[in-house]
Amino acid sequence: MKHLAFAAAILSATAATAQTPELTVYTYDSFVAEWGPGPKVEAAFEEVCDCDLKLVGVEDGAALLARVRLEGERSDADIVLGLDTNLTAAAKETGLFAEHSVDATYDMPVTWDDPVFVPYDWGYFAFIHEAGTDAPKSFRELADSDQTILIQDPRSSTPGLGLLLWVKSAYGDEAPEIWEGLSDNIVTVTKGWSEAYGLFMEGEADMVLSYTTSPAYHLIAEEDDTKAAAPFDEGHYMQVEVAAKLAGTDQPELADQFLQFMVSDAFQSIIPTTNWMYPAVMPEDGLADGFDTLITPEKSLLMSSEDAAAIRDEALSEWQTALSQ
Amino acid sequence: MADRAQPVSARPGIGAAACIAALVLGTLAAVAWRAEPGGGLSAADWAAVRFTLLQATLSALFSVGLAIPVARALARRRFAGRSALIALLGVPFILPVIVAILGLLEVFGRAGLISQLLGLFGLDPIRIYGLHGVVLAHVFLNLPLATRLILQGWQEVPAERFRLAAQLGFDAPAMFRLIEWPLLRQVIPGALAVVFAICLTSFAVALTLGGGPKATTIELGIYQAFRFEFDLGRAALLSGLQILLATGAAMVAIRLAQGTGFGTGLDRSLRRWDGRTTLARTTDAVWIALAAAFLLLPLGAIVASGVPGFAGLPFVVWKAAGVSLLVATASTALLLLAALPMSAAIATGRHTAIELAGLLGLAASPLVIGTGLFILIRPIADPFLLALPVTALVNALMSLPFAMRILVPRARDIVERYGKLGLSLNMAHGPFLWRVFLPRMRAQIGFAAGLGMALSIGDLGVITLFADPDIATLPLQIYRLMGSYQMEAAAGGALLLLLLSVGTFWLLDKGGRHHAEI
């Protein structure tokens, strides 16, 4: 009798799960971490969707795209969240993504009209240094100074690629010259952001490539105001993080609902203090205290995804040549 | 060679080796098969091959070269804390890469201990970044392993030989020529090949300490091909090249390592009468002190920076530690299941192919194995559900070459010493295995299991390719903490990892030789 009741309970439980639709979102690893946006986003969306939101973490943006390409049309994912504009051209080319139906007014320094990719947050790349020290005001000034920097490898890291495009969009054909100037300032090049930031915290260099929002983390989460971002005269290159629906999804309506939810207040208000980036749509309550202390670049730089894809290999080989001497 | 009667069967070992070869080469083929037509290797790839060979060769030579005097000193000295020191020697090797780098930089970095000391005298900080930095880091990671492997070679020499040497009044050169050189000749090629293979697949260490794109290794090329260009063909090609280089080195090593000829002993407890001059004592003390300082200072730095964050470690980190222990246990069981029969098979004389199969796991790029497994598993099961078993499997594969280096010499010795006796007593394979082989392998099994377990706990491995938010291993959780600015908690997690690795290693290693003096 007991066994029967147990079996019945299991059966009804499976029946219940079968009725609840499941939406699978592939994203990068730090998004799903306990202190990242993932858990809160999952709770908030499940409250309104009557579904089960399954977040899957895959290293970072580049690995995410590689994963989706590997799985191809039979991918289990319904949504991919966490690519940036440097990857979207390649992503679009795969033909694996479908157009979205999201309607939103974005609060970003650039206009956004991509039919496939929906932005959910953005930030500026910047060099972080100890507050109170004199930081250079441009790449040229940095190259002429004896300040030391830590950067990430563009071949394995998203910020590293961002820096490559930052120098390229600010200096164009003069980029190789800038890199040659910077080569004696670069302490080392790391595999990813964590390694570089960890080395910086150990005091291995004066500055590290990160985001203008990094000091906000130290200020808000650790009440530590000793970190600052250095404003550069050339302007700052942006990173816009986006999500898109897969064409092969078996939950197209739910996927659309998620993308629309993504630009709503419930999602956007989670982003600033969990992902430490600017929300794509400003939440009603604005940003947390501390964000107002951050630098606001006067000029925003961002290549279109097509330009970024077209110029990437050339910029990489210039970088390699200049730094291998 | 006609099949001679053997005390143990070689079949399970041959089977295990075949499974491993199929797994590694199968994953490589799976990646190559998914590849779209692409270009071959570029000039930059060949530059990466050259740099990889250079740094791996230098790292292997320095690691093993320095390990010889350290192992020799440890083999002939007895002092308080000796076994603790030997246990701690295993640690650098099992640390996650980033933790090891940070620890090393606390000593050798711009703001590290040595630079601060130099600063007191008004001198400039040292510059660690460059080829010398890469070699330094690889020596830090591999010197301990090489020391343990060579130390074990010393332990294979029967106590009676030292007694005889003392009776005959061998002086230091005679001791070297008749005992030390023959034993070194047997262990050094293998140790060189293993360290070379590890350094061949190095990526983050080489890049970070190499100071820039000059320090591009083949593994970084694979990473770039896979993620930056999505050129699976090139990734497979580069990975194949890596395997070729590692197996090439291993074949040279196997050819060079010739039999010992020390013969059998009666397992008397070891006493040493040599090396009693003041000069020998001083040299040994200096080597031990230098090695201990070089290895323990960075470890001390890791412990010191981990303490503040340790108490407040979030629950998920403890949970991840539990997952890691589970994965490591499964991985160690798999490791022994493959390594024991394979060493038995090698001991019966069919060695080259099996030894090479044992090395494959280390030579193949983890990224390619992981991706290949993903491609192979996906049609039949949900890869995310299999994240932990796959991680355990790949970790076992990676520790296999080390386990083999530990088990094979002893297995060979047992078969040589007792094989004929077993056959003449008409002992079947089973009883020989249970009554003679396994009990006499006990210390080596303990060491191999301890190393395998610790390696698995510390290895980030392929879990990043399959990770699920709810199941993470400890190294992955440490990376997640670092990825979200929580450096202090990450340092606390690294300390936990260090404690777990050392703890399990010590327990298993101790368990294996609880009555033996080593």
Side-chain angles (χ1 to χ4, degrees), chain B residues 72 76 85 96 98 105 141 164 170 173 179 184 210 258 318 322 380 389 409 417 477 511 517:
Chain B
R72 181 185 202 220
R76 59 184 189 189
L85 179 66
I98 187 164
L105 288 177
L141 295 170
L164 189 62
F170 279 12
I179 297 204
L184 287 175
Q258 298 301 333
W318 292 100
I380 37 176
R417 281 196 210 181
Q477 206 59 261
E517 194 275 354

Side-chain angles (χ1 to χ4, degrees), chain B residues 250-293:
Chain B
M251 282 173 74
V252 174
I254 293 169
R255 281 195 75 88
L256 287 179
Q258 298 301 333
T260 49
F262 284 117
T264 53
L266 295 172
D267 290 356
R268 282 205 183 85
S269 69
L270 180 68
R271 277 188 69 192
R272 299 281 301 259
W273 289 269
D274 59 313
R276 288 190 167 172
T277 60
T278 320
L279 178 68
R281 280 165 191 272
T282 322
T283 338
D284 285 354
V286 168
W287 276 110
I288 293 172
L290 278 179

